């Protein structure tokens, strides 16, 4: 498969079909990045987020990345139903979307977003054992992130309950969510 190696050493694929095939073979998810060179958020992600070592390591370990410059490939906005950059989409090898984020993300929030996407992928596939494993990473990566942490707590409790069948696991997670983020959207669900 052809790849584009940036100076930041992240291997961006240039074929969506091949990226999905590679993801299927390697047991990874596809990281789709929509950007353009005139977008301030895209520029900052290119100079701060993607060069970060923790970002590079996390992406290389769990994802097959592909990017589309929407000025050069305007059909990407239609394909991925997005009219804004930067947009990050995580999908599985079959092309099913599991998570989407629009707007700039610094390295910490970006890795937290990806960890949450991996958890959500396992939940969506009803693989609750894997979801419990991934919830540990997601909880670690979203520590201190008020936007992603409540959702991570919510799905982690769901996964724990679905594995054990014990309502106490769900209640414990719910109580933790209410204690840490009582006014969050996720505490109201």
């Amino acid at each position: 498969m052809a790849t584009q190696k940036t100076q930041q050493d992240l291997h961006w694929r240039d074929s969506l079909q091949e990226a999905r095939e590679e993801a299927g073979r390697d047991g990874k998810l596809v990281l789709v990045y929509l950007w353009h060179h005139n977008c301030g958020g895209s520029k900052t992600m290119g100079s701060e987020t993607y060069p970060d070592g923790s970002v590079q390591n996390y992406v290389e370990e769990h994802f097959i990345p592909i990017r589309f410059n929407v000025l050069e490939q305007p059909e990407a906005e239609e394909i991925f139903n997005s009219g804004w950059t930067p947009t990050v989409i995580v999908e599985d090898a079959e092309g099913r979307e599991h998570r989407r984020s629009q707007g700039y993300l610094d390295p910490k929030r970006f890795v937290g977003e990806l960890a949450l996407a991996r958890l959500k992928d396992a939940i969506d596939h009803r693989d609750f054992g894997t979801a419990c494993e991934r919830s540990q990473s997601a909880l670690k990566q979203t520590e201190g992130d008020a936007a992603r942490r409540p959702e991570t707590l919510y799905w982690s409790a769901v996964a724990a309950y679905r594995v054990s069948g014990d309502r106490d696991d769900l209640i414990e997670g719910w109580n933790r969510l209410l204690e840490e983020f009582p006014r969050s959207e996720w505490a109201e669900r």
Side-chain angles (χ1 to χ4, degrees):
M1 169 188 290
T3 61
Q4 300 169 13
K5 189 173 182 179
T6 67
Q7 61 185 180
Q8 292 84 27
D9 210 27
L10 201 60
H11 298 279
W12 294 100
R13 284 33 173 213
D14 32 285
S15 163
L16 181 59
Q17 183 60 37
E18 289 178 12
R20 287 175 176 164
E21 289 170 6
E22 184 179 351
R25 279 192 315 272
D26 294 352
K28 295 182 178 184
L29 295 170
V30 177
L31 168 64
V32 177
Y33 179 52
L34 306 180
W35 71 287
H36 71 79
H37 55 273
N38 292 327
C39 167
S42 297
K43 287 178 185 178
T44 307
M45 286 187 74
S47 65
E48 295 178 13
T49 303
Y50 289 114
D52 183 85
S54 63
V55 168
Q56 291 176 16
N57 291 338
Y58 202 83
V59 170
E60 292 294 335
E61 183 176 352
H62 302 292
F63 296 90
I64 304 300
I66 183 167
R67 65 182 172 181
F68 297 91
N69 181 328
V70 299
L71 296 181
E72 295 172 4
Q73 298 169 290
E75 68 279 3
E77 289 182 308
E78 181 69 29
I79 292 168
F80 295 104
N81 191 32
S82 178
W84 191 251
T85 60
T87 295
V88 174
I89 300 167
V90 173
E91 62 179 35
D92 58 30
E94 290 76 36
R96 290 182 298 247
E97 183 176 318
H98 297 284
R99 188 103 182 136
R100 172 182 295 246
S101 176
Q102 293 179 299
Y104 167 74
L105 292 170
D106 62 40
K108 180 171 177 18
R109 292 182 307 137
F110 184 75
V111 172
E113 182 68 30
L114 296 182
L116 182 51
R118 291 182 68 240
L119 170 58
K120 196 65 179 64
D121 165 68
I123 295 280
D124 292 348
H125 282 100
R126 294 168 182 76
D127 183 351
F128 298 107
T130 298
C132 281
E133 294 169 12
R134 290 179 180 179
S135 74
Q136 298 310 307
S137 171
L139 288 166
K140 178 182 174 189
Q141 299 297 343
T142 60
E143 186 71 39
D145 183 343
R148 286 156 199 81
R149 180 69 169 195
E151 185 177 358
T152 302
L153 289 168
Y154 180 92
W155 290 118
S156 294
V158 168
Y161 167 70
R162 293 297 300 260
V163 166
S164 71
D166 185 347
R167 285 179 37 121
D168 288 343
D169 286 334
L170 191 60
I171 292 168
E172 180 182 327
W174 180 255
N175 286 336
R176 184 175 175 189
L177 175 58
L178 289 176
E179 181 181 313
E180 292 184 34
F181 298 96
R183 293 188 178 98
S184 76
E185 171 189 346
W186 292 94
E188 296 178 8
R189 290 182 182 216

